[in-house]
Amino acid sequence: MTPSTDRIHRLLADGVRDRAYPGAVWAVGDAAGTLASGTVGVLDPARPGEAMRPDTLFDVASLTKILAVWSTVGALWQDGLLPLDEPLGDFWPEVTDHPLGRATAHHLLTHTAGLPLRAQLKNLYGTDPAEIRAGVLHEALHRPSGEAVEYTDRAALVLGYLAEHLSGQPLDHLAAARIWQPLGMHTTRFGPLPAEQTALAAPTELDQDTGTHLKGTAHDFSARLLNGVCGIAGAFSTAADLARFLQYLLDPATAPGKPGFGPAWTKESLTVRTGALEPARGLFWHPAPGTDPAEDVWVHYGFTGTGLWISPQLGTWAVLLTNKLYFTRDREPLTSVRNCFRELAFP
């Protein structure tokens, strides 16, 4: 299967013309590597002569949930340290005798734990990271676990804390050592970025405090509140690094090192795990909108304008990175582009 490079380029160029985003980087590939890739638009509208680059660093927002949390949780699961279906309170003293202690890691990974739906970390718990952690781990549930599928950033935040507890390492160190370095993802890291990498980063939303667009610093307020590192968001990456990650999901033999998770975790995750509840979800991944279950196409998005798709059945992966937040928080323009991109990437 070879994707239609010309059609993808026209689609994404139209998005630039319509101001859905200033620019985009994309790639489509299989287990052997990248089949097609490209860029459109500019890195920063304030510098219209500077084209978007293949090696542009993007604030990947909620793709952090996949790159740093889903992957390290999978490593801990495969190490035998993290039971998916046991109440968290049975093996995590911080949540024992608290409402969260009755939920399981499976509930968190399927967004069925019943956690509060909005972050509001500063309003609820202030600005001290230790107090925020205690508040989140000890708060009341929004509804009983297992009752409904409701996407919430809290799930990844809690799982990030759990990964830190089980590994004895900060999440950024854990992800780098167990996942990113073994996969050769040498440009992927949590922000804030150092100056030399900030220069290669795509700017996102206008920061009202400084009057400039955020660049090299996470857009997500919770990530900034937690010094750039948390399970919700905060990671930066490139299309090439994300291609390495997705290629590994299709063929583990392609990794230069030995990441902490392997095909057993991928298979466990890319299967509907929510039973009759809707919308259907696997473990953090969910079926791509508009696809037939037989196509086996899974996706995860990031609020800044990023997306990852993978289909073990079709043997295909795809990456689309944009900085749509530079212009707008309106989801509709990018939603249409994403769906059309997926159709072209998985014909």
Side-chain angles (χ1 to χ4, degrees):
M1 186 279 296
T2 301
S4 173
T5 302
D6 290 343
R7 293 178 68 189
I8 290 175
H9 182 83
R10 286 197 300 272
L11 168 72
L12 299 181
D14 287 347
V16 172
R17 180 200 64 201
D18 297 338
R19 292 174 62 87
Y21 39 78
V25 181
W26 65 276
V28 178
D30 58 17
T34 300
L35 295 170
S37 62
T39 66
V40 296
V42 298
L43 179 70
D44 186 342
R47 300 198 302 276
E50 186 177 345
M52 184 63 80
R53 297 162 48 118
D55 61 349
T56 296
L57 276 156
F58 284 83
D59 173 354
V60 298
S62 281
L63 297 191
T64 303
K65 295 175 173 70
I66 295 295
L67 302 179
V69 178
W70 172 80
S71 57
T72 58
V73 164
L76 294 166
W77 175 76
Q78 293 201 188
D79 289 345
L81 297 175
L82 176 55
L84 292 186
D85 296 310
E86 289 184 22
L88 297 173
D90 287 1
F91 60 92
W92 191 8
E94 280 181 281
V95 302
T96 302
D97 297 327
H98 294 280
L100 182 60
R102 297 191 292 273
T104 66
H106 185 276
H107 287 136
L108 295 170
L109 286 160
T110 54
H111 291 283
T112 59
L115 298 174
L117 301 184
R118 299 289 175 261
Q120 297 181 318
L121 299 183
K122 183 177 180 181
N123 291 341
L124 290 171
Y125 307 118
T127 59
D128 179 76
E131 292 184 5
I132 293 170
R133 177 181 176 124
V136 167
L137 296 183
H138 299 161
E139 66 194 354
L141 297 183
H142 163 66
R143 66 165 77 236
S145 298
E147 186 175 275
V149 179
E150 295 175 309
Y151 181 88
T152 171
D153 285 337
R154 279 288 206 291
L157 182 60
V158 170
L159 282 167
Y161 288 147
L162 177 57
E164 291 179 333
H165 164 71
L166 292 175
S167 68
Q169 292 181 270
L171 183 61
D172 54 343
H173 294 180
L174 178 64
R178 297 297 306 274
I179 311 300
W180 302 341
Q181 291 171 8
L183 284 174
M185 298 169 63
H186 299 306
T187 58
T188 301
R189 56 163 292 164
F190 279 94
L193 299 180
E196 63 272 19
Q197 287 188 305
T198 295
L200 298 174
T204 58
E205 196 168 40
L206 185 69
D207 182 1
Q208 299 299 328
D209 293 335
T210 64
T212 60
H213 286 262
L214 292 165
K215 186 177 170 75
T217 298
H219 168 267
D220 184 89
F221 181 76
S222 297
R224 282 184 277 154
L225 187 64
L226 295 168
N227 301 316
V229 180
C230 73
I232 295 172
F236 288 76
S237 193
T238 60
D241 272 14
L242 297 176
R244 292 184 184 96
F245 184 86
L246 294 171
Q247 188 180 352
Y248 173 73
L249 299 192
L250 294 180
D251 183 3
T254 61
K258 188 175 181 181
F261 76 95
W265 181 241
T266 301
K267 184 176 181 181
E268 186 82 10
S269 302
L270 301 183
T271 304
V272 173
R273 295 295 178 189
T274 44
L277 296 177
E278 294 288 345
R281 284 200 170 261
L283 302 183
F284 264 17
W285 297 86
H286 63 89
T291 60
D292 187 282
E295 296 176 277
D296 193 34
V297 183
W298 298 81
V299 68
H300 205 289
Y301 301 124
F303 186 68
T304 48
T306 57
L308 300 177
W309 293 259
I310 183 96
S311 173
Q313 176 67 31
L314 300 176
T316 304
W317 56 260
V319 175
L320 176 60
L321 302 173
T322 80
N323 53 333
K324 73 102 174 174
L325 273 184
Y326 189 97
F327 289 139
T328 179
R329 288 191 170 204
D330 182 7
R331 296 183 180 186
E332 178 48 40
L334 186 61
T335 296
S336 300
V337 171
R338 278 171 168 164
N339 290 339
C340 291
F341 172 76
R342 189 267 309 154
E343 291 175 3
L344 294 172
F346 297 83

